[in-house]
Amino acid sequence: MDKELLTQEVLRLKAERQAVILAHSYQLPEVQEVADFVGDSLGLAREAQRTRAKVIVFAGVHFMAETAAILNPDKTVLLPDLEAGCSLADSIRPEDVLAWKEAHPEGIVVAYVNTKAEVKALADVCVTSANAVEVVSRLPEDRSIFFVPDMFLGAHVARVTGRKLDLFPGECHVHAGIREEHIQALLEAHPGAEFMIHPECGCGSSCLYLKPDAKMLSTEGMVRHAKRSEAKEFVVATEVGILYRLAKEAPGKTFIPVKPEAVCEYMKKITLEKVYLSLREMRHVVRVPEEVALRARRALEAMVAVG
């Protein structure tokens, strides 16, 4: 089927299945176009929690579909491709968290949402890049904090809040590949542009040294800022899938990727055809064991309530 017919079939099946399609901002343009909601991890979690649909098709990666399943135990959650994983989520094991908790029995575990359900189940609270600073700033100052698994986001949170954090040495391979030299090259080529940098990026504080007025923003923060800013040109340091949404929601403005090769191959495993097949065949159902889901749900609900 061509794209137009596939789109029509997706919309028909979505109505027939009483389904909702939730898509992350890094998804392919044609997938974003059939989605009922496009957003970041926090927005998607909230939308999954409030939807009345019987079926949730998650156009994202596996941990996102798990999050939707945990927050909606009475709904069917589908992931169009089970190979849509996450290198960051794969970097940490439950054993890593348990070892820290044993050494810090009074400590607090803060888990980035980019983790598997088994890790979330051991956390006191989950966060996204959109609300991590606010969540951590509210935590008791007399207790140790273990921030997992992204060390670059954790370093950003520590810098902004002034809190001492124990960081797990995990990273997103796409964002870790965005380095100081990429920022420097774009600074020279586009000196008048505003810079928007995702806090998972490997350049960290060196990016702010090069460009002190750069905005450290989550994906949703980037969209909001681009829409309200008077600037006409933006340099964007994150996965390039967001460029489609930025151009759509802030028309008439120019968005330049810091690194055009910053592509998440896992996000791109979700295609329009796979969304169609997912709805047609009700595949692949994502389930989380109830004993894990029960503990993870507490940490996720705390995340959704903030920011």
Side-chain angles (χ1 to χ4, degrees):
M1 281 188 281
D2 62 23
K3 187 186 295 186
E4 185 177 347
L5 186 54
L6 267 177
T7 299
Q8 292 173 359
E9 283 299 293
V10 166
L11 297 177
R12 180 186 66 81
L13 285 166
K14 185 174 68 170
E16 186 179 298
R17 300 291 194 192
Q18 298 180 57
V20 64
I21 300 174
L22 305 181
H24 192 273
S25 297
Y26 296 158
Q27 288 293 303
L28 293 166
E30 57 267 30
V31 174
Q32 293 189 39
E33 284 300 317
V34 297
D36 297 279
F37 181 84
V38 180
D40 66 354
S41 295
L42 182 59
L44 291 167
R46 286 175 172 158
E47 201 65 26
Q49 195 177 42
R50 70 169 63 105
T51 185
R52 295 183 179 180
K54 293 183 177 180
V55 176
I56 298 172
V57 180
F58 220 106
V61 292
H62 195 271
F63 77 79
M64 297 178 179
E66 275 190 337
T67 296
I70 291 166
L71 292 172
N72 296 274
D74 58 335
K75 299 184 188 300
T76 300
V77 177
L78 304 176
L79 183 64
D81 189 332
L82 289 177
E83 292 188 1
C86 173
S87 61
L88 178 57
D90 287 342
S91 71
I92 187 166
R93 307 163 303 157
E95 292 85 352
D96 298 316
V97 180
L98 288 170
W100 186 89
K101 287 169 74 78
E102 185 175 351
H104 304 81
E106 300 301 317
I108 298 171
V109 177
V110 177
Y112 192 22
V113 72
N114 300 36
T115 47
K116 294 181 178 180
E118 292 79 8
V119 171
K120 290 182 176 74
L122 296 171
D124 295 283
V125 63
C126 288
V127 296
T128 70
S129 56
N131 70 1
V133 167
E134 184 174 359
V135 170
V136 169
S137 67
R138 295 182 180 185
L139 296 177
E141 296 188 7
D142 59 345
R143 295 171 66 184
S144 300
I145 300 172
F146 191 30
F147 190 99
V148 302
D150 193 283
M151 60 182 173
F152 296 117
L153 175 60
H156 166 70
V157 172
R159 184 169 58 249
V160 175
T161 63
R163 303 294 296 274
K164 182 183 180 301
L165 306 180
D166 291 344
L167 304 179
F168 182 82
E171 62 181 31
C172 161
H173 71 289
V174 176
H175 286 100
I178 298 175
R179 309 299 301 178
E180 183 178 334
E181 57 266 27
H182 299 114
I183 301 292
Q184 183 68 58
L186 270 294
L187 266 173
E188 295 169 2
H190 303 275
E194 282 200 349
F195 277 59
M196 301 190 297
I197 302 171
H198 195 282
E200 284 183 35
C201 287
C203 53
S205 57
S206 63
C207 293
L208 293 175
Y209 175 77
L210 289 169
K211 182 70 171 169
D213 61 347
K215 311 295 183 185
M216 296 291 280
L217 299 164
S218 67
T219 51
E220 204 62 32
M222 289 181 182
V223 174
R224 286 195 301 267
H225 179 73
K227 288 166 71 173
R228 66 173 178 248
S229 174
E230 294 183 4
K232 294 298 182 184
E233 188 177 54
F234 300 83
V235 171
V236 183
T238 190
E239 208 273 353
V240 297
I242 198 174
L243 297 175
Y244 176 76
R245 185 174 170 215
L246 284 167
K248 182 179 179 180
E249 298 203 24
K253 299 184 179 183
T254 301
F255 299 95
I256 304 142
V258 159
K259 187 181 179 184
E261 308 83 33
V263 176
C264 176
E265 64 270 32
Y266 299 111
M267 284 283 184
K268 282 8 180 208
K269 285 186 178 294
I270 308 298
T271 63
L272 187 61
E273 182 178 10
K274 288 176 183 176
V275 172
Y276 160 70
L277 291 171
S278 184
L279 281 164
R280 190 184 75 178
E281 301 174 15
M282 294 295 286
R283 71 181 194 190
H284 303 272
V285 178
V286 175
R287 296 186 178 91
V288 178
E290 183 52 34
E291 64 274 15
V292 174
L294 192 64
R295 287 179 289 141
R297 191 174 299 124
R298 172 181 49 82
L300 281 168
E301 286 175 345
M303 174 192 82
V304 172
V306 177

